[in-house]
Amino acid sequence: MTADSTPALVKQADADTDGPAPAAPPAARGPRARNTKAYLKYVATKIVGAAVSLFAVLVTSFFLFRLIPSDPVKQMTGGRPVSAEQLESLRRQFGLDQPMWQQFTSYVGDALTGDFGTSFQFHAPVMDKITEALPATLLLTGTAYVLYSALGIWLGTRTAWRNGSKSDRFNTALALTLYSVPAFWLGLLLIIVFSVGVGPIPGMFPTGGLESGNETGFAYVLDVAHHMVLPVITLVAVGYAQTLLVMRSSLLDEMGSDYLTTARAKGLRDDTVRRRHAVPNAMLPTFTLMFVNLGHVVAGQILVETVFSWPGLGGLFYQGLSVPDLPLVQGLFFVFATAVILANTLADLLYPLLDPRVGR
Amino acid sequence: MVERVPPPSAQPRSRLRILVASGAAALALAAGSIVPGMPLGAAPQQAQAADSGNRTLTVAVAQSVDSLSPFLAQKLLSTSVSRLMYDFLTNYDPKDNHAVPGLATKWEPSADKLTWTYTIRSNSKWSDGQQATAEDAAWTFNKMMTDEAAAQANGSFVTNFKKVTAPSPTQLVIELKEPQATMAALDVPIVPKHVWEKVKDFSKFNNDKDFPVVGNGPFVLSDYKVDQYVKLKANKDFWRGKPKFDELVFKTYKDQDAAVAALRKGEVSFVAGSPALTPAQAASLKGDANIKVNEGPGRRFFALATNPGAQTKDGKKFGNGNKALLDQKVRQALFLSIDRKTIIDKVFQGHAVEGQGYIPPRFSEYAWQPSATQSLAYDPAKAGKLLDQAGYELKDGKRVGKDGKALDLRILCHATDPNDKAIGKYLKEWWGKLGVGLKVDCLDDVSVPWYAGEYDLAFDGWSVNPDPDFVLGIHTCAALPIKAKASASTDNFICDKSYDELYKKQLAEYDPAKRADLVGQMQSWLYDSGYMSVIAYPNAVEAYRTDQIKSITTMPEAAGNIYGQDGYWSWWSAVPAGSDGGDGDSDSGSSSTGLVIGIVVAVVVLAGGGFLISRRRRTTADERE
């Protein structure tokens, strides 16, 4: 019964063998204080970096969308009888008649107070439109994110541990295939098969949208869950491969390492070696990827949201670009970028806790 | 390498069994739910509504709502909803588009043509019970005349108004600055004054917070969720009679293939083309017994336009249009060598009609055709002769001008429109045979080179209203830009005195026959000038379920379209299938069973995820070793 009597040994093994990098020389006095100071400095650098990035994004977003060669006013009124005077008056209302620098300063000034102006086409504050569509996106891509990350890590570990086996080859090939499938195509296929029904398969899911529109209370929750099934499956199917591959390759890198041989030589069981030694060391690249993906949860998935008529941010961005609805796209661009920057900053702040080598 | 493939442990296997079992149960449930008398994948959801005595017509639309305020709404969906919520002064007859009574029962101009008197009906009530009166109409127009924000959507109708008053509840008087022929076609929703006078900022009020929204049209707006649906309830007190469906839902489908799938499943009763279903979609739906593909004459024209020399209002030239196209003979030669029949057959695959006049034949009052001698039908030989006459001789297969330069042209094409690209290829071939080179410039947004006058030819097209004033107006000198390269209401920089005179005359002509004659003369001028050539009128292609909609009015009534009509005819007239007998009501549980399946599957998916994670954690070493 070695299993019950060796927790201390396991810890010891962890400490002794973690990572190939030489551990810092054990300081005689105040290592903790120095580490805390180093960490705080590290945190400050990261936060300042994030703030600078955010400001750069704010500036970029203003000019980026003004490069789109299109006249918003003309696009919006396209196909309807509008006199030249009306075009002028619309331009004045939207502030498009002002010189560029003036538009820019008022944009940056307002944005710093969280005001991204009024959407040209929806006649509503941009922030209202974003907060209206954000929950739908978070619900869909957030659920998918949790599922595909879990699936990717689990399968990645499994395939790497059983490297070369039939199941490894099958899983890797399947993941790569799904990864290269266009999401909208897979979505449409799922609609045709599981919404409309093909042959003996009945049409059991709605063809699109977030809700049927006639349920309340708990029935509403169930109705939304019903609507989520196909889009979530689509997102998970095309999304898990990335995590799987990263997890698999980083675990494979670890697998030849001496510390694993040592651990095994100590008589640890294969499962413990994998879970307590190999996987934690292999997690860092996967961790990075997960945080990158976390940032993208907010941006939604334009194509999947479109195919399933999901009322989220992806679709809103598309509508904004087609005008172009400058305040709307600027606001969305800023929110998307903020999410990515925040997720990355969060990852940076957490790394030192996961891997003590970082941030010293 | 130490790795092994241990046998799956007993414990996970039993969990796996549960998982498989629950999946099987879900499938069994699913299979069970669709058996009783229902064709697979075609469970009309309307039937379930019939159970509660409520008939719902669901329409799949591709657009989202920009605003539900009739003062702001610009998109087709939103303006169509305004049409259903509020009555207009007049409406268009579904047969031939002539003005018929709406909120006004009668309308008459004064002798000097400058004062119009409308008699407002006394049997129209707002949905909150108050009477709709001339005061409401006067308030609506006055608001548009005085508040810039309220003029956003329909301001062009009132720019020529001098004064609007309501001397009595049934009398509305509009005084004009100049005669205006569109007075029986004022497409302005009349709103209830007692509700709207409380609105402070018209530029930000979207009319989408408090339901039901007070209106007096055939339907009352009852609910709206951004990018999901717009729900309207039948107005039981509508003066023309209540609609046959109890509820009308416009459901947003951002992907047209998904919308077609929803129609096939029966989740929606109608799919609107945007502007038309693709030939492939139409063909695939035609095989379905319960679906009718409706094809009607479209309101759009598809044309080629030349650059007649871009210029500002005060005559400053700009742009770089090819000078050769300033010669009418060259333009006509190009248009003579377009085989419209091939374009209709091969590109539009039969879903369009050959183009001639500027106004589509759908608007029979104003449609015009060239006479036999005037006609520029396909004639490549004649085209060659015209080019010879214009001084472009054929040398080594190339047309070369007197300056020794070969005749090479560019055409602006919309990268998002497959028709443009396909026709571009044909043009290249046909004009190549003539000796004219062509470069097809496909861009996502053509407006910049277009406004800058940096093009030789362009693919052009407009949707035409029953009243032709607007599309005719875009070719007047007044539509030219004030500054070079600035956007303006002009379409092709055309400016011609004789055309402008005809335009003014038609706008001031109250006699329909005389006005139609003037509009015909303008089209004749446009045709002869060769500045533009109408290639086709693409059809409107749409589809609906015959097991949900028994009948529906098209416009024009004989073989017309359904979605995007001028007026509320289609949805007001639609008759539910089975309204005079039993219909597949056996499926009352389809929604709830579907729901149960969904839940089961969702739970399975989530439980599966959780299971996978937990399995990893719980697998003990004993099982591995």
Side-chain angles (χ1 to χ4, degrees):
Chain A
M1 292 302 291
T2 44
D4 296 326
S5 57
T6 50
L9 190 72
V10 172
K11 263 195 188 126
Q12 194 61 46
D14 272 348
D16 288 344
T17 56
D18 240 1
R29 195 164 289 179
R32 186 174 292 268
R34 203 168 63 200
N35 280 350
T36 314
K37 205 174 159 197
Y39 181 64
L40 283 178
K41 195 179 164 201
Y42 170 82
V43 167
T45 327
K46 291 295 168 191
I47 289 178
V48 168
V52 170
S53 309
L54 279 179
F55 189 76
V57 165
L58 192 67
V59 173
T60 317
S61 65
F62 178 84
F63 293 103
L64 185 66
F65 296 108
R66 271 167 180 74
L67 291 178
I68 302 174
S70 190
D71 179 353
V73 173
K74 191 80 183 180
Q75 288 283 332
M76 273 171 57
T77 54
R80 288 181 58 76
V82 189
S83 63
E85 293 79 28
Q86 271 184 285
L87 289 177
E88 263 326 294
S89 115
L90 279 175
R91 220 161 258 132
R92 200 164 51 244
Q93 277 187 41
F94 297 151
L96 288 168
D97 57 336
Q98 291 171 358
M100 188 77 98
W101 66 265
Q102 212 168 329
Q103 291 185 40
F104 176 71
T105 46
S106 63
Y107 162 70
V108 173
D110 289 346
L112 289 178
T113 63
D115 175 10
F116 283 89
T118 304
S119 155
F120 291 169
Q121 55 179 330
F122 297 108
H123 311 281
V126 166
M127 269 305 158
D128 286 6
K129 291 302 292 179
I130 292 176
T131 42
E132 212 168 62
L134 184 64
T137 289
L138 289 185
L139 180 65
L140 178 68
T141 48
T143 308
Y145 170 78
V146 170
L147 290 178
Y148 72 64
S149 299
L151 188 66
I153 292 174
W154 178 66
L155 278 178
T157 313
R158 209 180 136 93
T159 49
W161 209 250
R162 299 173 178 189
N163 184 22
S165 73
K166 216 179 245 175
S167 83
D168 170 34
R169 285 199 305 263
F170 172 77
N171 266 315
T172 314
L174 179 70
L176 277 174
T177 311
L178 287 172
Y179 184 51
S180 20
V181 161
F184 72 93
W185 181 81
L186 182 68
L188 263 181
L189 215 61
L190 289 178
I191 289 178
I192 290 166
V193 176
F194 295 105
S195 282
V196 181
V198 171
I201 303 170
M204 47 188 147
F205 296 104
T207 44
L210 177 138
E211 53 166 311
S212 314
N214 40 22
E215 310 287 349
T216 48
F218 186 59
Y220 173 79
V221 175
L222 297 180
D223 185 41
V224 172
H226 191 200
H227 281 78
M228 274 174 67
V229 176
L230 292 187
V232 166
I233 290 177
T234 309
L235 286 173
V236 170
V238 298
Y240 82 97
Q242 226 184 347
T243 319
L244 182 152
L245 294 176
V246 170
M247 189 64 208
R248 180 175 179 273
S249 70
S250 59
L251 189 56
L252 280 178
D253 281 348
E254 297 294 332
M255 274 171 58
S257 305
D258 294 341
Y259 73 93
L260 291 185
T261 315
T262 313
R264 284 205 181 84
K266 284 190 298 198
L268 292 181
R269 288 144 303 153
D270 193 46
D271 189 51
T272 312
V273 172
R274 190 188 66 194
R275 282 198 291 119
R276 307 290 300 268
H277 297 257
V279 170
N281 281 314
M283 270 304 279
L284 212 59
T286 315
F287 205 69
T288 312
L289 177 71
M290 278 172 69
F291 271 98
V292 169
N293 286 340
L294 182 65
H296 289 144
V297 163
V298 173
Q301 292 275 344
I302 295 185
L303 293 176
V304 174
E305 283 192 2
T306 303
V307 173
F308 290 99
S309 308
W310 198 261
L313 290 178
L316 193 64
F317 194 52
Y318 176 77
Q319 286 176 31
L321 275 177
S322 58
V323 168
D325 190 338
L326 295 173
L328 186 61
V329 285
Q330 279 162 191
L332 280 168
F333 183 77
F334 186 72
V335 168
F336 293 165
T338 307
V340 173
I341 292 173
L342 284 185
N344 279 323
T345 311
L346 194 65
D348 283 342
L349 298 185
L350 289 179
Y351 281 156
L353 307 179
L354 296 166
D355 184 347
R357 285 168 291 159
V358 180
R360 272 193 195 142
Chain B
M1 282 284 150
V2 216
E3 61 272 8
R4 280 168 291 174
V5 185
S9 66
Q11 205 184 348
R13 180 173 282 175
S14 69
R15 275 206 204 92
L16 193 68
R17 219 175 279 144
I18 295 166
L19 189 71
V20 170
S22 59
L27 278 176
L29 250 173
S33 73
I34 43 89
V35 177
M38 273 295 139
L40 274 182
Q45 297 209 328
Q46 265 52 49
Q48 89 193 312
D51 269 357
S52 50
N54 207 11
R55 299 264 177 191
T56 304
L57 172 57
T58 310
V59 178
V61 289
Q63 256 177 354
S64 58
V65 170
D66 53 346
S67 175
L68 287 168
S69 158
F71 296 99
L72 300 175
Q74 310 255 9
K75 295 188 179 178
L76 178 63
L77 170 62
S78 327
T79 54
S80 303
V81 171
S82 291
R83 218 357 150 173
L84 298 167
M85 293 160 70
Y86 302 103
D87 214 357
F88 294 15
L89 286 181
T90 57
N91 205 337
Y92 302 97
D93 189 276
K95 281 194 199 77
D96 60 4
N97 285 305
H98 78 268
V100 296
L103 185 61
T105 53
K106 244 178 34 187
W107 47 94
E108 268 169 345
S110 61
D112 65 357
K113 300 180 175 183
L114 287 174
T115 306
W116 282 73
T117 308
Y118 297 79
T119 308
I120 304 297
R121 67 176 58 253
S122 46
N123 61 342
S124 177
K125 273 203 164 101
W126 298 111
S127 52
D128 61 359
Q130 293 210 33
Q131 182 70 33
T133 66
E135 183 61 31
D136 294 310
W139 186 84
T140 304
F141 288 120
N142 276 311
K143 191 78 208 172
M144 285 161 57
M145 287 157 66
T146 52
D147 185 339
E148 204 173 62
Q152 272 198 33
N154 304 309
S156 63
F157 288 109
V158 299
T159 42
N160 185 34
F161 283 17
K162 200 159 98 191
K163 195 175 162 200
V164 184
T165 50
S168 82
T170 55
Q171 212 181 31
L172 175 76
V173 179
I174 300 179
E175 289 172 46
L176 300 173
K177 294 175 197 156
E178 273 171 56
Q180 180 176 330
T182 54
M183 293 305 284
L186 296 172
D187 286 343
V188 178
I190 304 296
V191 301
K193 179 189 169 190
H194 64 280
V195 176
W196 284 78
E197 63 187 354
K198 290 170 197 147
V199 174
K200 290 206 178 67
D201 184 354
F202 273 68
S203 69
K204 289 197 178 115
F205 180 73
N206 285 311
N207 201 22
D208 56 2
K209 294 284 183 290
D210 295 316
F211 303 107
V213 175
V214 178
N216 65 340
F219 289 90
V220 176
L221 181 65
S222 58
D223 197 6
Y224 163 64
K225 270 222 174 133
V226 180
D227 267 4
Q228 294 196 65
Y229 55 74
V230 181
K231 288 187 176 181
L232 299 128
K233 285 222 156 43
N235 179 1
K236 301 234 163 14
D237 303 321
F238 187 53
W239 63 268
R240 206 186 283 276
K242 67 168 181 156
K244 323 285 187 293
F245 274 95
D246 301 299
E247 196 180 26
L248 174 62
V249 179
F250 292 100
K251 199 167 174 222
T252 312
Y253 278 89
K254 292 174 186 165
D255 181 273
Q256 191 153 290
D257 285 315
V260 167
L263 180 77
R264 199 167 259 144
K265 192 188 175 193
E267 241 177 63
V268 297
S269 318
F270 182 95
V271 172
S274 64
L277 293 179
T278 65
Q281 286 167 337
S284 81
L285 285 172
K286 267 180 183 153
D288 204 309
N290 291 324
I291 291 173
K292 181 176 160 58
V293 174
N294 182 59
E295 188 156 351
R299 56 194 309 169
R300 260 188 102 72
F301 65 76
F302 185 96
L304 288 186
T306 60
N307 180 355
Q311 55 180 320
T312 60
K313 240 175 213 165
D314 47 15
K316 274 198 200 98
K317 302 272 177 205
F318 61 95
N320 61 8
N322 195 313
K323 297 274 187 295
L325 288 174
L326 294 177
D327 187 336
Q328 187 190 13
K329 286 197 174 102
V330 176
R331 299 193 299 264
Q332 291 190 338
L334 293 177
F335 296 148
L336 275 168
S337 40
I338 296 172
D339 181 0
R340 288 179 172 71
K341 194 174 177 310
T342 299
I343 291 179
I344 303 293
D345 291 348
K346 300 285 195 258
V347 178
F348 290 100
Q349 298 187 27
H351 299 287
V353 174
E354 273 187 57
Q356 287 183 302
Y358 188 67
I359 309 284
R362 167 202 173 101
F363 304 106
S364 50
E365 253 182 295
Y366 297 111
W368 168 92
Q369 285 192 353
S371 63
T373 48
Q374 203 177 1
S375 173
L376 295 171
Y378 183 52
D379 190 347
K382 192 174 163 196
K385 274 184 207 145
L386 277 177
L387 283 181
D388 288 338
Q389 285 171 23
Y392 290 91
E393 282 176 29
L394 199 59
K395 282 181 193 158
D396 306 327
K398 286 291 249 174
R399 291 278 167 180
V400 179
K402 284 171 189 143
D403 54 0
K405 274 190 192 157
L407 187 52
D408 284 317
L409 302 171
R410 308 158 288 175
I411 187 164
L412 278 179
C413 117
H414 304 82
T416 46
D417 190 340
N419 292 339
D420 281 13
K421 289 187 194 162
I423 295 171
K425 281 187 188 147
Y426 279 107
L427 292 179
K428 233 175 160 160
E429 185 189 325
W430 293 329
W431 292 354
K433 278 184 194 156
L434 207 61
V436 177
L438 180 69
K439 186 168 164 268
V440 184
D441 289 329
C442 291
L443 304 171
D444 278 338
D445 182 4
V446 296
S447 61
V448 170
W450 201 316
Y451 293 147
E454 286 161 4
Y455 68 100
D456 301 328
L457 293 126
F459 286 99
D460 194 4
W462 279 94
S463 282
V464 180
N465 297 326
D467 192 285
D469 181 67
F470 176 69
V471 279
L472 293 171
I474 59 178
H475 297 306
T476 58
C477 303
L480 291 176
I482 297 165
K483 278 190 303 188
K485 301 189 180 189
S487 71
S489 31
T490 188
D491 196 21
N492 298 304
F493 304 101
I494 295 172
C495 175
D496 179 90
K497 281 215 176 87
S498 57
Y499 181 89
D500 270 25
E501 263 163 38
L502 287 170
Y503 175 79
K504 270 191 196 132
K505 272 193 203 161
Q506 68 82 28
L507 186 59
E509 182 53 69
Y510 287 162
D511 183 284
K514 282 187 192 154
R515 184 169 179 226
D517 181 58
L518 288 166
V519 171
Q521 289 179 42
M522 296 171 81
Q523 294 183 71
S524 178
W525 183 89
L526 275 174
Y527 189 87
D528 289 341
S529 75
Y531 284 132
M532 61 188 306
S533 172
V534 177
I535 307 278
Y537 312 109
N539 288 346
V541 188
E542 50 204 0
Y544 63 90
R545 288 196 74 94
T546 50
D547 56 355
Q548 294 179 5
I549 301 173
K550 190 174 159 197
S551 68
I552 193 162
T553 303
T554 58
M555 189 172 178
E557 215 163 284
N561 68 309
I562 295 169
Y563 186 79
Q565 292 181 356
D566 302 293
Y568 42 64
W569 307 110
S570 46
W571 314 124
W572 173 75
S573 72
V575 179
S579 55
D580 51 4
D583 177 47
D585 283 18
S586 55
D587 189 45
S588 58
S590 86
S591 161
S592 54
T593 2
L595 204 61
V596 170
I597 300 158
I599 297 153
V600 171
V601 176
V603 167
V604 168
V605 169
L606 290 172
F611 161 79
L612 296 177
I613 296 165
S614 70
R615 183 173 173 244
R616 240 197 89 245
R617 198 165 294 151
R618 287 196 201 170
T619 308
T620 64
D622 294 330
E623 291 148 8
R624 297 260 168 193
E625 286 298 297

